[in-house]
Amino acid sequence: MRISVTDRCNLRCLYCMPDGVKQVPMEEILTLEEYAFIARQAADLGIRKIKITGGEPLVRLGCCQLIHMLKHTPGIEKVTITTNGMLLETYLDDLMDAGIDGINISLDTLDKDLYRALTGRGDLETVLRALKRAVKACQGRRIPIKLNAVSLDLKALAEQLGCPYGGPGWAELLDIARQYPVDVRFIEMMPIGFGRQYRSLDHGAMLKELRRLYPDMETDDRIHGNGPAVYYRIPGFLGSVGFISAIHGKFCHSCNRVRLTSRGYVKSCLCYEDGEDLRAVLRGAGTERERALQVKEAVKRAVLLKPGAHCFEDPRGITEQQSMARIGG
Ligand code: SAM
Ligand code: SF4
């Protein structure tokens, strides 16, 4: 279960939450106790892994406290987080103390100016410093750190933004995997919210380019997690390279995700609006026991509503209209 703990963010990534996006009123967002309550019911149903996301999860006060609560929920085995990295250094010790099991850092480019232009407020040095510190803190603890990059055409983006650009390009992101035991994963842009206005680079072409740059690159079959990424190993690199091709790879048949939005709506699939309103149950009538049963039934229904496949390749069929920051990417 991916849990979005806020729709708020300290960045304004153009494809996710550009300037001017309205925020959800705070009273509509679940409290930490409500998240913990849902997690307990989810754990009873057999959900074992939780990813904390947002918006930017680390801007939510009490995020590390929630992670601590989730880690102490019987049945929950792993709690990981996806962050833009801007506040990671500040909260790193708290995340470690809470027992975090994995950290994904989102970073689409190593070009300082383009990063700022793309994210509105981001500072590349801050993110890279946090990444280095996180690597050090996680060393020896078997806490994986991954870097996620949306496969953007950086040159076209720079032109569009009027940003001087001479590289580094997407392939230079692999320097992170060369230097650190960090998997670098490229993720196809999904036509969700503002992402509809941007195109992904073709993963087949990217792979071809990597094979040209690194002829010794080989498929990496070691298990890196539960996700749909396809991994490759480059001799001499500490981390692997992964491709998550949600659109063209269409791994829907093996998708075991459900998403809980910050407003307490549990979604069956990113592509469609179908799901169940858990907040209405939580804040409705009935005893705690009755509400627990109702939440469980609603989560089960959301799982059963999972569609056979998404239809991202034909955006006319997409019924989800919200931005990724609201859904929880
Ligand atoms: N703020 C955190 C972060 O950036 O990691 C967590 C939330 S963010 C919505 C999670 C991930 O979704 C980020 O890696 C972001 O790049 C990605 N994302 C946002 N919009 C997307 C889209 N339309 N297609 C694919 N990935 C997207
Ligand atoms: Fe914020 Fe993450 Fe969306 Fe960027 S991708 S605007 S960091 S929520």
Side-chain angles (χ1 to χ4, degrees):
M1 179 179 269
R2 298 181 69 104
I3 297 184
S4 170
V5 294
T6 181
D7 69 315
R8 281 132 169 92
C9 188
N10 46 356
L11 298 187
R12 289 291 178 273
C13 301
L14 292 172
Y15 56 78
C16 179
M17 186 188 180
D19 264 328
V21 168
K22 275 210 185 111
Q23 294 182 338
V24 172
M26 211 44 212
E27 62 275 14
E28 289 187 19
I29 293 180
L30 297 189
T31 63
L32 300 187
E33 290 69 28
E34 287 173 326
Y35 285 117
F37 185 85
I38 292 174
R40 285 199 294 280
Q41 314 321 316
D44 279 353
L45 290 174
I47 287 175
R48 298 279 167 260
K49 298 187 173 95
I50 290 181
K51 166 87 72 207
I52 298 294
T53 179
E56 170 50 38
L58 292 176
V59 304
R60 173 78 195 252
L61 285 179
C63 178
C64 297
Q65 190 191 332
L66 175 63
I67 291 169
H68 185 268
M69 285 198 263
L70 297 175
K71 281 288 294 178
H72 287 81
T73 300
I76 297 297
E77 291 166 4
K78 280 199 191 320
V79 182
T80 56
I81 189 167
T82 293
T83 171
N84 60 36
M86 287 295 293
L87 289 170
L88 182 57
E89 216 180 353
T90 310
Y91 287 108
L92 191 57
D93 292 342
D94 292 346
L95 285 171
M96 292 296 147
D97 291 346
I100 197 77
D101 293 297
I103 302 175
N104 289 1
I105 300 173
S106 303
L107 182 63
D108 300 335
T109 174
L110 289 176
D111 184 299
K112 192 173 179 294
D113 296 328
L114 186 57
Y115 179 69
R116 169 55 73 104
L118 173 64
T119 61
R121 306 169 182 181
D123 176 56
L124 183 64
E125 273 176 34
T126 304
V127 179
L128 291 178
R129 206 174 48 236
L131 180 120
K132 266 187 222 171
R133 261 210 67 203
V135 168
K136 210 166 165 200
C138 293
Q139 237 164 21
R141 297 203 213 192
R142 292 177 154 259
I143 302 174
I145 300 181
K146 294 173 188 159
L147 188 143
N148 290 337
V150 177
S151 310
L152 289 162
D153 183 339
L154 299 175
K155 192 162 171 268
L157 183 71
E159 269 169 28
Q160 186 186 332
L161 300 176
C163 195
Y165 177 71
W170 62 266
E172 269 85 5
L173 278 164
L174 265 60
D175 278 344
I176 304 281
R178 188 200 308 267
Q179 283 185 60
Y180 307 109
V182 170
D183 294 341
V184 171
R185 294 133 35 108
F186 293 99
I187 301 178
E188 271 184 330
M189 175 72 75
M190 285 178 266
I192 289 281
F194 298 93
R196 290 180 190 215
Q197 298 163 28
Y198 299 87
R199 283 250 182 90
S200 266
L201 290 176
D202 175 56
H203 278 183
M206 290 169 79
L207 192 54
K208 204 167 158 194
E209 174 65 3
L210 285 188
R211 288 198 195 284
R212 189 186 68 77
L213 290 170
Y214 306 105
D216 296 342
M217 186 173 85
E218 45 191 51
T219 311
D220 184 357
D221 292 326
R222 289 172 304 173
I223 295 172
H224 287 252
N226 316 283
V230 178
Y231 283 99
Y232 298 87
R233 205 168 357 170
I234 302 173
F237 280 44
L238 299 176
S240 299
V241 189
F243 286 91
I244 303 180
S245 311
I247 301 182
H248 294 93
K250 222 171 195 179
F251 38 75
C252 304
H253 59 285
S254 63
C255 173
N256 60 1
R257 268 85 170 142
V258 282
R259 293 179 151 80
L260 179 66
T261 73
S262 54
R263 285 204 266 197
Y265 189 81
V266 68
K267 272 177 66 61
S268 311
C269 171
L270 260 181
C271 185
Y272 307 105
E273 62 187 358
D274 306 75
E276 292 280 334
D277 184 358
L278 302 187
R279 192 187 61 192
V281 176
L282 290 173
R283 298 186 184 176
T287 63
E288 190 174 313
R289 196 176 132 74
E290 284 163 349
R291 287 199 303 271
L293 280 174
Q294 286 171 31
V295 166
K296 278 196 194 96
E297 287 308 315
V299 173
K300 270 199 238 171
R301 282 196 299 275
V303 170
L304 292 173
L305 270 177
K306 277 183 83 60
H310 66 64
C311 65
F312 284 137
E313 66 283 4
D314 179 9
R316 287 170 304 177
I318 302 173
T319 56
E320 182 54 80
Q321 299 300 330
Q322 300 185 89
S323 68
M324 199 66 123
R326 282 223 176 153
I327 299 167

